[in-house]
C-alpha cells in the first residue's frame, strides 16, 4: 500500500487512495517553504505540498507577510480552499482544483498539465493574460485590508504596520541597511495614506505559473492578500521586463489608471527587498531598478 510522504496516518485517512509511489518534485529555490510531490491516485493526478516548517520560521518573506497582514501562515492553510474559490470566481487564469488541506501542514490539489515557465522565454500572450487577470482582480476593491478572506484592518493602520514591518525586517538582515536610506523610508512610510485596496499575489514571479497549450495557469496560491493597489503595481514593475511592462500597461490602462506612486515608492521597494521577493541581494541596484 502506498502512503503520502511526510503525513501522519490520521492526515492521510481522508485523502484519495494512492495507486503509485509519490514522486518528489525538485524545489526551484533553496529557501522554498514547501516540499512537493506528484501523486497518482484513484481520483486522478494530484500535487501534494507539505510545509517545511523550519524554512518557514526563517523565511523573511513569511516573516514580513505575517507581520504586515496578520496572516498567521502556515495556520492560514486551513482556509486555502477559499483562495481557490475566490480566484476561480474573480480571476482570469486557471488555478488547480482544491482537494484537501490541513492548517500548518499540507495542501493537496489537482495536477495541472503543462510546462513550467522559463522567465527568460515569456511569450507576449502570457503577459497579456497576466494583465487580464490583474485587471479583473483590481476590479475587486476594498476600503480595508489584510487577509484575503477577512480584510479587517482599517486603512488608517496601513502606514503604521508598514513602518513596523520594515523596521522588524531591517533588524533581521545579515547585512546592515544604510541608516540614511532606512530613516528616509520610515519617514515616508509614516505619511502614506492608502485608501484603495485590492487582491494581490505578494510573491508574484513567473515560476509560480505553468503554460498549457496557450493558456496561463497559476499554481501557487499561498500568498494572496488584500493590499494597496500601488504595492501590487510596484511589484509588477520589478517582476516584468521593461518590454513586458509596457505591454502589460497597454492592456491594464484600458480599464484602470496607473496611479502615481513616486512619493512613497521607496517604502514599497525596500519592503519587497527585505522580504526577498525576487532574490536580489544588492540593495543599491534594487532601489535604482525602477
Amino acid at each position: 500500500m502506498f502512503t503520502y510522504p511526510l503525513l501522519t496516518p490520521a492526515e492521510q485517512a481522508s485523502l484519495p487512495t494512492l495507486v503509485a509511489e509519490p514522486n518528489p518534485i525538485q524545489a526551484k529555490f533553496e529557501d522554498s517553504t514547501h516540499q512537493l510531490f506528484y501523486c497518482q491516485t484513484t481520483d486522478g493526478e494530484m500535487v501534494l505540498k507539505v510545509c517545511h516548517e523550519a524554512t518557514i520560521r526563517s523565511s523573511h518573506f513569511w516573516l514580513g507577510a505575517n507581520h504586515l497582514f496578520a496572516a498567521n501562515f502556515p495556520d492560514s492553510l486551513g482556509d486555502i480552499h477559499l483562495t481557490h474559490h475566490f480566484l476561480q470566481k474573480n480571476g482570469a487564469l486557471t488555478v488547480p482544483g482544491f482537494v484537501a488541506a490541513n492548517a500548518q501542514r499540507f495542501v493537496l490539489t489537482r495536477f495541472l498539465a503543462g510546462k513550467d515557465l522559463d522567465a527568460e522565454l515569456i511569450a507576449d500572450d502570457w503577459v497579456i493574460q497576466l494583465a487580464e487577470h490583474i485587471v479583473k482582480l483590481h476590479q475587486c476593491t476594498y476600503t480595508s485590508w489584510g487577509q484575503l478572506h477577512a480584510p479587517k484592518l482599517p486603512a488608517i493602520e496601513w502606514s503604521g504596520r508598514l513602518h513596523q514591518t520594515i523596521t522588524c525586517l531591517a533588524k533581521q538582515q545579515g547585512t546592515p541597511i544604510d541608516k540614511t536610506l532606512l530613516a528616509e523610508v520610515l519617514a515616508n512610510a509614516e505619511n502614506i495614506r492608502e485608501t484603495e485596496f485590492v487582491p494581490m499575489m505578494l510573491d508574484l514571479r513567473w515560476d509560480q505559473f505553468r503554460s498549457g497549450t496557450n493558456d496561463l495557469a497559476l499554481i501557487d496560491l499561498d500568498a494572496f492578500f488584500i493590499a494597496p493597489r500601488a504595492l501590487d503595481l510596484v511589484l509588477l514593475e520589478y517582476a516584468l521586463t521593461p518590454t513586458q511592462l509596457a505591454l502589460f500597461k497597454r492592456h491594464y490602462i484600458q480599464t484602470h489608471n496607473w496611479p502615481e506612486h513616486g512619493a512613497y515608492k521607496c517604502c514599497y521597494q525596500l519592503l519587497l527587498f527585505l522580504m526577498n521577493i525576487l532574490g536580489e541581494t544588492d540593495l543599491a541596484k534594487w532601489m535604482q531598478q525602477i
Side-chain angles (χ1 to χ4, degrees), residues 121-132:
L121 299 170
I122 299 301
D124 286 352
D125 189 53
W126 296 337
V127 177
I128 293 170
Q129 289 182 49
L130 177 62
E132 292 171 346

Side-chain angles (χ1 to χ4, degrees), residues 13-27:
S14 61
L15 302 184
T17 302
L18 291 163
V19 297
E21 191 69 31
N23 292 323
I25 300 172
Q26 184 174 2

